[in-house]
Amino acid sequence: MDPIALPPQPAPRSPLRGGYLASNPLLVGGLRAVDVLLAALPGGRDGAPLARPPRRLLLAIGGHLGDAVIASAVLPLVAAVWPETEVGVLAGSWSRPVLQGHPLVRRIHTVDHWKLIRSGTGWRDRLRRYRDTRRRALAEIEEAGYDAAVDLHPYFPNSIPLLRRAGIPVRAGFTSGGFGPLLTHAAAWTDSGGHMADHHRALLARLDPRFGRVGTLRYALPPCPEGADGGLPRGGYVVVHMGAGLPLKEWPSEKWHALVGALLAEGHTLVFTGSGAEQREQAERTIGGRAGCRNLCDRLRWDEFVGAVAGARLVVSVDSVAGHLAAGSAVPAVVLFSGMNRIDQWRPLGDRVRTLTHPVPCAPCHLSRGCAEMACIRGLEVGEVLEAVRAELRAPLAGGAGGAAGPPGGAAAPVA
């Protein structure tokens, strides 16, 4: 089954601006100026494959929850190619729960960059939080004594300056987020299509070519804790996740209301998930007092959210972490995408994921603030989404109704 429900499209425009994945000309100019200065620093780039596996490897993830789920796909690859290597992870504190307790992760360090903090604090508090978390993480990383680090995040802000400051001798990453001269194994971003996990694999292959030949890319999430499903009947409900980290990516409320009405009329039980008071209130308005709905927005811990998704019959969501969790738990998903980014690069990595968007000539625009119309997402009709949901519900499930977060590392066998 083709997971991308899209008509043929013209070749997408490149997101690169002067070699950087940024649309703001001031940011591009600033990164270029900094890189020119950094290029004069002593210490050359090796760029050659490693002669032996590192004793300890640090993976810097960056971004938010969905980025952490995507990055989990490389963990089984590292375990297969370098089975004796200890793996640490560097991420924002908001992403820590995604990999907490993962059997393939030895340590987790957190840095909350001021640009990525989504809480409602002011600039002074953001800068203070960034300074404090960075100082603590730097001390932890230096004490751990990592031999190599790979920054998987191709955008600004990345962790490259911190990796250099910590004295990690081998540092691989993309130059597209700036600070490329501080890397020993620098990779220019190539807008060649493919999923973000494919780009991660290619970056690791710069350290060891065997990464390019091992395994099938699949999310590798920690096992779902026993009893973390909140008592929901396994396989007996559809998860509805309306919120996204960026409101521009959301579908109109009136269309959600109509879709929910149609699903209830067909006898489905609906469980609403999301975070924050605003998404909870949006779910209440969408439900409108109708029976057959349960609003769990802003009521679930992370493990309970994972459990609710893993036990669902199907997940219907906008472009958010919910779709990635569904893919990681082998639960069918219908995901509504805007045209702000390439769908083939950011879609959930799974066999039972159906992505929908409203084709427009300007997509993908690669604009962080989108546009006033956002026809790429708002133009999707209720009938299209309803038919996609019906099609996924009719298709047989491997292993029965409701997926399960399988044991991580099962996709890749050890490499000699």
Side-chain angles (χ1 to χ4, degrees), residues 11-366:
R13 58 177 57 84
S14 173
L16 290 168
R17 303 291 183 273
Y20 299 96
L21 286 171
S23 58
N24 187 323
L26 292 178
L27 177 58
V28 171
L31 292 175
R32 182 182 293 113
V34 169
D35 283 353
V36 169
L37 294 174
L38 292 177
L41 292 176
R45 306 179 190 177
D46 183 351
L50 301 185
R52 62 183 64 86
R55 187 169 55 98
R56 294 192 177 103
L57 170 70
L58 180 63
L59 296 175
I61 292 176
H64 289 278
L65 289 170
D67 300 275
V69 176
I70 292 173
S72 74
V74 306
L75 293 173
L77 306 186
V78 175
V81 177
W82 295 336
E84 302 301 321
T85 298
E86 290 182 5
V87 176
V89 167
L90 175 63
S93 61
W94 44 82
S95 296
R96 187 184 188 101
V98 177
L99 298 174
Q100 189 76 46
H102 201 298
L104 298 181
V105 176
R106 179 69 178 271
R107 303 174 184 86
I108 299 179
H109 315 281
T110 57
V111 173
D112 294 347
H113 195 281
W114 56 266
K115 189 177 187 297
L116 298 177
I117 297 172
R118 285 177 172 172
S119 60
T121 57
W123 280 107
R124 182 173 298 179
D125 290 337
R126 292 186 182 197
L127 291 173
R128 183 183 300 113
R129 181 170 158 187
Y130 172 54
R131 179 199 64 196
D132 293 344
T133 56
R134 188 181 189 278
R135 180 187 299 140
R136 183 167 57 250
L138 180 59
E140 294 172 353
I141 292 169
E142 289 177 333
E143 182 179 1
Y146 290 99
D147 309 288
V150 179
D151 193 326
L152 300 174
H153 197 58
Y155 299 90
F156 175 85
N158 55 39
S159 301
I160 295 172
L162 177 60
L163 305 180
R164 164 68 181 263
R165 175 69 180 80
I168 301 175
V170 175
R171 303 176 299 277
F174 297 103
T175 61
S176 49
F179 308 104
L182 301 181
L183 296 167
T184 61
H185 293 70
W189 180 264
T190 56
D191 191 40
S192 56
H195 197 272
M196 181 59 71
D198 290 305
H199 291 279
H200 292 169
R201 182 212 288 266
L203 186 58
L204 283 164
R206 287 180 169 264
L207 300 181
D208 190 325
R210 292 179 295 173
F211 279 106
R213 305 190 297 267
V214 63
T216 300
L217 289 170
R218 289 286 187 271
Y219 299 148
L221 301 173
C224 190
E226 191 73 27
D229 55 7
L232 295 169
R234 188 170 185 82
Y237 57 92
V238 171
V239 164
V240 177
H241 193 96
M242 302 186 295
L246 189 64
L248 281 170
K249 296 182 177 181
E250 295 179 357
W251 202 37
S253 297
E254 63 273 13
K255 293 189 175 183
W256 276 117
H257 189 275
L259 176 67
V260 166
L263 293 175
L264 291 174
E266 295 182 1
H268 299 292
T269 298
L270 307 181
V271 171
F272 290 74
T273 59
S275 62
E278 186 174 342
Q279 291 187 21
R280 177 167 179 78
E281 292 168 3
Q282 181 189 15
E284 287 294 343
R285 292 192 299 269
T286 301
I287 293 170
R290 292 176 285 190
C293 299
R294 185 172 177 183
N295 186 3
L296 297 183
C297 285
D298 210 32
R299 288 184 172 177
L300 300 175
R301 301 188 311 266
W302 172 258
D303 61 325
E304 294 173 331
F305 177 39
V306 174
V309 169
R313 187 180 176 194
L314 177 135
V315 171
V316 55
S317 74
V318 292
D319 176 20
S320 69
V321 70
H324 293 286
L325 288 180
S329 299
V331 172
V334 174
V335 183
L336 284 52
F337 267 84
S338 74
M340 296 173 66
N341 302 106
R342 291 184 60 148
I343 295 177
D344 58 348
Q345 181 176 316
W346 292 107
R347 69 176 182 85
L349 195 62
D351 297 327
R352 289 295 304 275
V353 177
R354 187 180 295 255
T355 60
L356 299 176
T357 190
H358 181 65
V360 291
C362 54
C365 64
H366 302 294

